[in-house]
Amino acid sequence: MPSLKDLRNRIASVKATRKITKAMQMVAAAKLRRAQEAATAARPYAERMDAVLAALGQSINRENASPLLVGTGRDQTHLLIVMTAERGLCGGFNSNIAKLARADAQKLLSEGKTVKILTVGRKGADNLRRDLGRNIVERVELRGIRQVGFANAEEIAGKIVAMFEAGEFDVGTLYFAEFKSVIAQKPTALQLIPAKLPEAEPEAKGAAARPLVETEPDDDSVVAYLLSRNLSTQIFRGLLENAASEQGARMSAMDSATRNAGEMINKLTIKYNRQRQANITKELIEIISGAEAL
């Protein structure tokens, strides 16, 4: 049975931990609003770019189209771009993304495919190191960056395009967490190469349809440029979604930790009071017994 001193030390330790988790919860709540606004603002741009590419993609010659759109014609080597956070203490945010990527990687390996992994964020590499450490070919860490910008997405996209042009993979898939709410972040897999575009709107289909815009110099050149731009845009969107999801998951996790610490303090306090009362009763019994013996 722990002594009163041990119980006092445990109570003080849990109270100190509760202060830390409460502070982290408040910091995450402050960061969440800005991150959520940035992620929400990026969605319409990315969706509209997909729509423009889908419309233009109907009019170009697929035989001469960019490999970013039509691929290499093979499906043997897959590159998984796994984006996670640089830090932990955010519940199951990192592990859920890694779990989805791990499941897809193991499925591809069982089919005889070659899997390569590019991790963005330290926690992604840590989660996948044990099972798929040999498959990790590149690591990108954003630890020293306070606010993720489009330039960071362009740098990552440049690495991916360089690997694709060097023939290192055939299909590239991006893994991130789509922000739904503070308590809900959905792990998502998005195919980047070859670009998986949505279906064009009905008015944009068919040779007889009147084009909404005229492109210069031609559709093929514009689509080739937009494809590389779309790659950076989708990666940037994933980074912003991840930033908002991370802060939401951390806020929820620290709130649960704070409440659990409060419950533990109450239990330890009750145990401490009972122990102290038992000691006082024991001392009184010893005093009374000694007095009666005299």
Side-chain angles (χ1 to χ4, degrees):
M1 182 178 293
S3 63
L4 291 178
K5 184 178 179 180
D6 293 336
L7 290 173
R8 283 197 300 267
N9 290 338
R10 287 192 62 186
I11 292 172
S13 176
V14 176
K15 284 183 177 179
T17 303
R18 184 174 63 174
K19 289 181 180 179
I20 295 172
T21 56
K22 184 64 176 178
M24 292 184 66
Q25 177 190 352
M26 296 176 67
V27 171
K31 291 182 178 180
L32 173 62
R33 181 178 178 182
R34 183 173 59 183
Q36 183 178 355
E37 290 175 352
T40 304
R43 289 174 186 171
Y45 183 82
E47 292 170 358
R48 186 58 183 168
M49 178 168 281
D50 279 346
V52 170
L53 281 171
L56 290 174
Q58 301 297 322
S59 60
I60 64 173
N61 184 3
R62 290 269 172 168
E63 294 181 358
N64 300 324
S66 169
L68 293 176
L69 178 62
V70 298
T72 61
R74 300 184 300 273
D75 187 28
Q76 178 59 33
T77 305
H78 289 251
L79 177 67
L80 311 186
I81 304 103
V82 184
M83 298 200 302
T84 56
E86 294 289 343
R87 301 173 181 85
L89 296 177
C90 48
F93 167 73
N94 293 310
S95 58
N96 288 338
I97 299 174
K99 181 180 179 181
L100 177 62
R102 184 184 295 108
D104 288 352
Q106 292 174 346
K107 180 180 178 182
L108 290 169
L109 290 172
S110 65
E111 295 173 354
K113 308 291 185 182
T114 302
V115 175
K116 298 181 179 180
I117 299 176
L118 186 153
T119 60
V120 181
R122 184 171 59 89
K123 287 298 178 179
D126 292 344
N127 276 278
L128 297 173
R129 182 185 302 162
R130 185 177 64 178
D131 299 330
L132 301 167
R134 296 181 179 179
N135 301 88
I136 299 176
V137 296
E138 184 75 27
R139 300 182 183 185
V140 178
E141 293 190 4
L142 306 174
R143 190 182 307 177
I145 300 173
R146 297 186 61 182
Q147 184 68 28
V148 175
F150 190 74
N152 305 115
E154 284 185 318
E155 182 180 353
I156 297 171
K159 291 179 181 290
I160 296 171
V161 171
M163 294 175 65
F164 180 69
E165 291 177 347
E168 297 184 20
F169 69 93
D170 303 316
V171 180
T173 307
L174 179 68
Y175 292 85
F176 63 96
E178 184 178 359
F179 179 80
K180 297 293 186 181
S181 66
V182 175
I183 59 174
Q185 301 86 33
K186 180 183 177 183
T188 304
L190 175 65
Q191 182 174 309
L192 295 179
I193 300 175
K196 197 171 184 179
L197 303 178
E199 290 291 331
E201 296 178 0
E203 62 269 16
K205 292 182 178 180
R210 180 178 180 272
L212 298 178
V213 295
E214 294 183 0
T215 57
E216 292 290 345
D218 54 68
D219 289 352
D220 293 345
S221 301
V222 173
V223 169
Y225 170 76
L226 288 180
L227 283 170
S228 60
R229 185 76 175 181
N230 181 62
L231 185 64
S232 301
T233 300
Q234 297 301 336
I235 292 174
F236 184 51
R237 177 194 171 189
L239 289 173
L240 294 179
E241 294 280 355
N242 258 16
S245 299
E246 178 189 354
Q247 299 303 332
R250 180 170 288 115
M251 178 181 171
S252 178
M254 291 301 101
D255 178 60
S256 298
T258 301
R259 286 188 282 104
N260 291 339
E263 293 176 2
M264 184 176 292
I265 289 171
N266 292 336
K267 291 179 181 179
L268 289 173
T269 302
I270 292 173
K271 190 174 182 179
Y272 172 80
N273 291 335
R274 287 177 177 173
Q275 181 70 13
R276 186 181 62 173
Q277 185 177 6
N279 290 347
I280 293 173
T281 304
K282 181 180 178 182
E283 291 176 359
L284 288 174
I285 291 174
E286 291 175 353
I287 293 172
I288 293 172
S289 300
E292 289 179 352
L294 292 176

